[in-house]
Amino acid sequence: KILPKTKKAVVSTQSTGEPSCTFTDEERAALTVRIQNAGTEVVEAKAGGGSATLSMAYAGARFAFALLQAMNGAKNIVECSYVESDVTDLQFFSTPLLLGPNGIEQNLGMGTLIDFEQEALEAMKPELSGSIAKGIKFANQ
């Protein structure tokens, strides 16, 4: 999955998953909406008793533990992260990364996207580009 902060910019790359699976166009569209709204579903399931921050905390901890394993010599450690990247024409992007003793050893990219995913990727770029610009401006203040 390509997961930026805003749900409008979430692109679910179901075709690149392992093990591979296939969906009808209707199933793919419905699943994409569920993935885009996953945070909202968590909040609704908690009936106003909290947010989806535990999911974000888990993702952060998982990445940190994976990075520490890789830096201590473990091999073939792959995690997704939002990093400065040349995978697209956007300055930052989230993709699977091969981690090693020096941090990021290789950006594994997105793989080959099907038309549905490529169209979603192109549609989300303006919004993500705006978010990147805001983030850079904030960081430089």
Side-chain angles (χ1 to χ4, degrees), residues 33-56:
V33 170
R34 291 283 312 271
I35 291 167
Q36 289 174 328
N37 292 314
T40 302
E41 286 191 24
V42 169
V43 171
E44 289 173 356
K46 294 175 95 174
S51 68
T53 54
L54 183 58
S55 299
M56 291 182 282

Side-chain angles (χ1 to χ4, degrees), residues 9-42:
V10 172
V11 176
S12 176
T13 55
Q14 301 152 8
S15 70
T16 63
E18 291 181 20
S20 64
C21 55
T22 58
F23 299 100
T24 65
D25 290 344
E26 295 78 21
E27 290 170 329
R28 183 173 291 105
L31 186 55
T32 297
V33 170
R34 291 283 312 271
I35 291 167
Q36 289 174 328
N37 292 314
T40 302
E41 286 191 24
V42 169

Side-chain angles (χ1 to χ4, degrees), residues 74-129:
K75 303 288 184 206
N76 299 315
I77 304 293
V78 176
E79 288 291 335
C80 291
S81 188
Y82 185 69
V83 297
E84 194 161 14
S85 171
D86 62 2
V87 169
T88 70
D89 53 338
L90 298 167
Q91 185 176 355
F92 294 88
F93 209 74
S94 178
T95 50
L97 306 170
L98 177 63
L99 304 174
N102 299 311
I104 299 170
E105 298 289 333
Q106 182 181 357
N107 187 326
L108 301 175
M110 292 182 280
T112 303
L113 303 181
I114 60 172
D115 289 345
F116 178 90
E117 296 161 345
Q118 188 63 45
E119 290 168 13
L121 174 63
E122 294 305 319
M124 61 80 87
K125 283 183 178 181
E127 183 170 341
L128 185 54
S129 179

